[in-house]
Amino acid sequence: METPGFLEPFVGRWTKRHLLDLESLTSDEITLLLDVAQAFKESTQDCRHKLPLLTGHTSVNLFFEDSTRTRTSFSLAARRLGADVIEFSASSSSLSKGETLLDTAKTIQSMCIDTLVCRHRAPGIPQMLAENMDVSVINAGDGPHEHPTQGLLDILTIRQHRGDLSGKTVAMVGDIAHSRTARSNIWGLQKLGAHVIVCGPSTLVSRRWEEFGVEVSHDLDTILPRCDVLNLLRIQFERQYTRPFPSVREYALLYAMDQKRMQRAKPDILIMAPGPINRGVEITPEVADGEHSVILHQVNNGLAVRMAAMWLLGAGRAR
């Protein structure tokens, strides 16, 4: 299929073969990804319609951690673009027989694939694959390191509802210590001019985050009136070896976004959460389902961002 008119302005502007993080991207590269994602949304009725731009391409989802939103979103994005999709299951692969991860990946590569989407609990695995394989690699989350497409979809959601990010105050609240989403958001938001606050218990939000140029707070009620956006991060008990606070009830009392706190927030505040959300812990049901919540908008934007990334790394990349 010939490149549709709405994508013509973007052809050849992307030069990277992989999408591994937002830390290494420039503000122009981040903006390009966002612009392409927005173009896909507007031209396909929120990514409902197929565009056979990657016909003949094969994408493999190599996931070593549980996932609903991200895995489904990448699969749908590839299929919306006409690519074939292979779903890899670690539990039923030769890894259980002692084969190394790299040997497994190279075996899959030998079947003439084009894109490898990788999620792993260990930081740096997508980078290692990119350095040792002859295919495009997209990082779908590597431990607590980064989750670039989640960061992009969060930023796209803010941009759609609030326009230019320059001067906006975005607070990420919760388990910052274990959050790859927080790291990707920090890099992306700062490069686009936003002021970033990280907030949560001191056991999960170290003062060392100030070295990244962000504001650190342990008191949600103090920062709340200044925030344009709240991104409520899940407490990742599965990555913790000790309980970082006395009880879930106490955490919710101090950091959950509820109706009482909404009354002290800006009238047009955006409430976001990367999911899965724990109702009653990070956010109460009435706020999660309320008029300020854009949580489901984030999910839809994830499809657009992943379509943009796959197209740019494939047919849209400068050769």
Side-chain angles (χ1 to χ4, degrees), residues 107-282:
T107 297
I108 295 172
Q109 175 188 283
S110 68
M111 300 177 192
C112 302
I113 69 169
D114 301 283
T115 305
L116 190 69
V117 180
C118 179
R119 167 171 286 190
H120 201 282
R121 67 179 63 253
I125 292 297
Q127 177 75 43
M128 182 271 289
L129 293 174
E131 292 172 352
N132 289 277
M133 297 180 65
D134 191 26
V135 298
S136 291
V137 176
I138 299 177
N139 179 6
D142 57 335
H145 173 229
E146 275 216 46
H147 192 351
T149 57
Q150 180 67 50
L152 288 166
L153 72 89
D154 289 346
I155 295 168
L156 179 62
T157 304
I158 298 171
R159 196 175 78 161
Q160 288 169 347
H161 289 83
R162 294 293 177 266
D164 185 6
L165 273 74
S166 182
K168 298 294 190 297
T169 297
V170 181
M172 287 178 289
V173 182
D175 189 353
I176 308 299
H178 302 94
S179 177
R180 52 196 173 210
T181 294
R183 286 164 175 80
S184 289
N185 267 275
I186 286 171
W187 292 118
L189 288 166
Q190 287 189 318
K191 289 178 181 182
L192 297 182
H195 175 66
V196 180
I197 305 173
V198 291
C199 179
S202 59
T203 50
L204 294 174
V205 185
S206 165
R207 283 286 170 190
R208 295 203 63 180
W209 283 101
E210 292 173 347
E211 298 172 15
F212 288 77
V214 304
E215 179 183 344
V216 172
S217 174
H218 304 305
D219 188 340
L220 175 58
D221 293 316
T222 298
I223 66 167
L224 185 57
R226 295 193 284 129
C227 296
D228 298 295
V229 181
L230 279 187
N231 199 342
L232 305 169
L233 306 180
R234 181 177 65 87
I235 301 300
Q236 300 188 42
F237 293 112
E238 72 275 12
R239 300 188 193 277
Q240 300 168 5
Y241 297 101
T242 58
R243 183 61 64 90
F245 39 77
S247 69
V248 170
R249 181 178 179 276
E250 179 174 303
Y251 177 86
L253 183 67
L254 294 173
Y255 297 104
M257 199 62 191
D258 55 20
Q259 286 287 36
K260 186 177 180 181
R261 286 195 167 99
M262 287 296 295
Q263 295 172 5
R264 298 198 296 272
K266 289 186 176 183
D268 61 348
I269 191 170
L270 286 186
I271 301 298
M272 304 174 64
I277 61 173
N278 293 318
R279 292 172 182 259
V281 181
E282 298 95 17

Side-chain angles (χ1 to χ4, degrees), residues 94-112:
S94 292
L95 289 168
S96 62
K97 302 175 184 178
E99 185 173 67
T100 68
L101 186 154
L102 184 56
D103 283 338
T104 295
K106 285 191 171 183
T107 297
I108 295 172
Q109 175 188 283
S110 68
M111 300 177 192
C112 302

